[in-house]
Structure formats: structure tokens, C-alpha cells
Amino acid sequence: MTFEPKDLDPYLSVRHFYGSRLRRLRERADWGLEVAAAKLNVSKSTLSRLELAETPPQDGFSEIADRVFETGGWFVDLYELLKLEIHPDQYKHRMEWEAKAHTIEEYAGMSVPGLLQTEAYALASFRVGDPRRTKKEIQRLMDGRLGRQARLRSANSPEYSAILDEAAIRRPVGGPAVMRAQLASLIEQVERPNGVVQLIPFAHGEHALTGGLLTLMTIDDGTTVAWEESIDSGTLIEDRERVRARQRAYDRLRSHALSPRETAAFLASVMEELPDEHHP
């Protein structure tokens, strides 16, 4: 069976152009992936992902590529342009990272993250996100959300940890009954074989991640990317130094978070404070 390399549109993005030229020069030299990877000081899988524009080059790679292919600084110059670019299909790329990540770490500042939401909580969130959504559109979103959650319960589930800001568990999304069920679900998930959920209370005060949503995803080769999300958009961060800065902020915040047992007790107290919907 003959291997047919995946076709690329080199003009889709700077990253695609970089990858296509890398492949072209490798093939012109008549090197297979394994031979070229050794010369470029990367793994065969990393070189393949670079050529397919699935990952950006790390610092220092472009200098090596220019030396190996004798391109006189061409890759270095292109890399500077690539670093300014936003991935053309960021959310799709983010989902691909999540699907192959062996470790997922999240901070949620304003709402319960999707991987921990109950169906009723997710439904309320999708409805208010765009009141004009049809039932079919909402069902499609629900199916996607539940499909992502299923991986956490699978045999090859990733390690998952989450830090929830107190604001995320105080807002009664969907009403008291829906929120009570959501809090009960979180209590069940505070400590599992594949991860933990912890709370950072208001009493902690300010911290570096206040506000939005941060997801850190690490794959088998040790590469980590960060996803930051706002109201209706997100940014995938792949630059190594920027990712490291967010990892440091996350680790620092985790050191101040409540333990899983303390988190469960706190969640239970918030449940008790919720009003009865029939007796406000």
C-alpha cells in the first residue's frame, strides 16, 4: 500500500505555507521523514505535524532548517511572520488538541466549564447564549458537549483538573433547581481516579487568572498549548513562553485553592443557601 501525503493549501495561512515549503525542500532532497527529522533535530512525528501545519515550529527550529536546507534565513524570517498570525480555524484546532491531550487543566472564572456541566446547565447556557438558536442547533451543541464529556469517563480518559472561581458556582444558571443539581454533580467529581476539582474562594482576593476561562492541554510528546476564552471568542496560544507563563499562573493559583474535601464542603454549603423555587 503506497502512502499518499496529505495535500496542503499553502496559502491558507502562514503556518500552512511554512509547512508546505518544509515538505517541498525535504522531498527535493529525497529524504524520508525519519532521515529529515534526524537532521532537523526533531522527532519524526513532530516533523510530520509541522509539514501538515498541525503545530507551529518551536524557537530555534527555523535556524536549524535554514542551515540544513541552506535557505539563507528564509525560515527564520517566515517564523517571525508566523508568530503574529492567529490560527485560521482556532476552535476546531482547539478541539483537536483536547481530543488527543493526556492532561487537561482548566480554570473557570465565571461559569462551570463545559466538561463538568450537567445537561440542564449546558442547555440553559446554550439557550441564553443566543436566544435565536433553533432546537436543532441547540441539540447539535448538546451532542458535542456530551461527546466531549464521555471521554472523561472512557478507559483512556485524560488526567483532568479544574479550578473553579467562587463566582462560577454562585451564579444560579437555569434557576435554583438546575444549579442545585449542578453543584451536586460537582461534589461527585471533586476527587476521581483521573483528576480533581478545586475551588478558589472570594476570600483569596485577586489573582492572575481572574475573569475568563483558561484551558491547558498537554499531549504525549510533552507539548502544551493554552486556550483562553471570552464571551464569544477564543484564542489558541502555542508560543512556548506564553504557554509557560499561563502554566505558572495556573500552578500558583492551584497552590492557594481549597483541597478537594474542602471544596466539596464549600459546594454543599452553597447548595444549602439556594432558595426553593416555589418559596423564594
Side-chain angles (χ1 to χ4, degrees):
M1 182 176 178
T2 304
F3 171 74
E4 293 294 336
K6 178 181 175 182
D7 288 334
L8 284 178
D9 179 356
Y11 305 111
L12 183 61
S13 69
V14 178
R15 183 185 299 186
H16 284 76
F17 189 77
Y18 189 108
S20 69
R21 291 308 181 265
L22 191 60
R23 176 193 282 178
R24 176 183 293 182
L25 289 168
R26 175 180 63 79
E27 291 177 342
R28 183 179 296 170
D30 198 24
W31 295 336
L33 278 171
E34 191 168 351
V35 171
K39 292 178 180 292
L40 293 165
N41 197 31
V42 294
S43 68
K44 180 180 175 181
S45 62
T46 296
L47 179 56
S48 175
R49 290 169 56 221
L50 283 167
E51 291 187 357
L52 294 173
E54 293 178 354
T55 188
Q58 295 297 336
D59 290 342
F61 175 83
S62 297
E63 287 84 352
I64 297 173
D66 278 326
R67 185 174 68 251
V68 169
F69 293 114
E70 299 180 351
T71 41
W74 187 88
F75 278 107
V76 169
D77 290 343
L78 191 59
Y79 179 54
E80 291 304 312
L81 184 60
L82 186 152
K83 288 193 293 184
L84 301 175
E85 178 185 62
I86 295 175
H87 194 278
D89 194 353
Q90 291 204 89
Y91 188 72
K92 178 176 179 292
H93 199 42
R94 177 247 187 274
M95 289 296 103
E96 291 170 350
W97 272 97
E98 182 179 286
K100 59 188 177 183
H102 68 68
T103 302
I104 299 173
E105 300 167 296
E106 291 196 290
Y107 163 75
M110 302 304 294
S111 60
V112 175
L115 289 175
L116 297 176
Q117 292 176 4
T118 63
E119 290 189 44
Y121 186 105
L123 181 60
S125 298
F126 287 139
R127 282 175 173 166
V128 76
D130 184 353
R132 295 171 295 181
R133 282 186 178 129
T134 65
K135 290 183 178 179
K136 186 176 181 179
E137 289 172 330
I138 291 175
Q139 187 58 54
R140 179 179 59 80
L141 292 169
M142 288 292 296
D143 290 344
R145 178 64 48 83
L146 296 176
R148 290 171 59 208
Q149 293 180 359
R151 186 168 175 243
L152 290 184
R153 299 187 295 273
S154 68
N156 64 337
S157 63
E159 288 291 319
Y160 178 80
S161 65
I163 302 172
L164 308 183
D165 198 285
E166 185 175 341
I169 56 101
R170 286 286 184 186
R171 180 169 289 102
V173 172
V178 170
M179 196 63 198
R180 187 173 287 110
Q182 176 64 74
L183 292 171
S185 176
L186 288 174
I187 290 173
E188 294 176 357
Q189 300 181 78
V190 293
E191 193 161 21
R192 300 181 300 183
N194 65 326
V196 298
V197 175
Q198 296 172 266
L199 187 82
I200 191 77
F202 287 146
H204 173 70
E206 72 280 359
H207 58 80
L209 300 181
T210 301
L213 173 72
L214 170 70
T215 305
L216 296 159
M217 297 168 282
T218 304
I219 61 174
D220 288 338
D221 68 3
T223 303
T224 301
V225 299
W227 171 260
E228 292 182 335
E229 192 168 306
S230 57
I231 295 174
D232 61 356
S233 63
T235 301
L236 187 69
I237 302 170
E238 297 175 280
D239 178 74
R240 183 179 298 178
E241 287 306 314
R242 295 177 66 198
V243 172
R244 283 175 178 167
R246 283 152 181 81
Q247 183 73 66
R248 287 193 297 270
Y250 183 88
D251 292 343
R252 188 177 298 114
L253 186 61
R254 179 160 52 188
S255 71
H256 293 287
L258 301 182
S259 70
R261 180 176 296 182
E262 292 168 333
T263 295
F266 198 106
L267 292 169
S269 70
V270 174
M271 283 180 65
E272 293 176 0
E273 295 172 14
L274 285 170
D276 187 318
E277 285 190 302
H278 303 294
H279 301 90

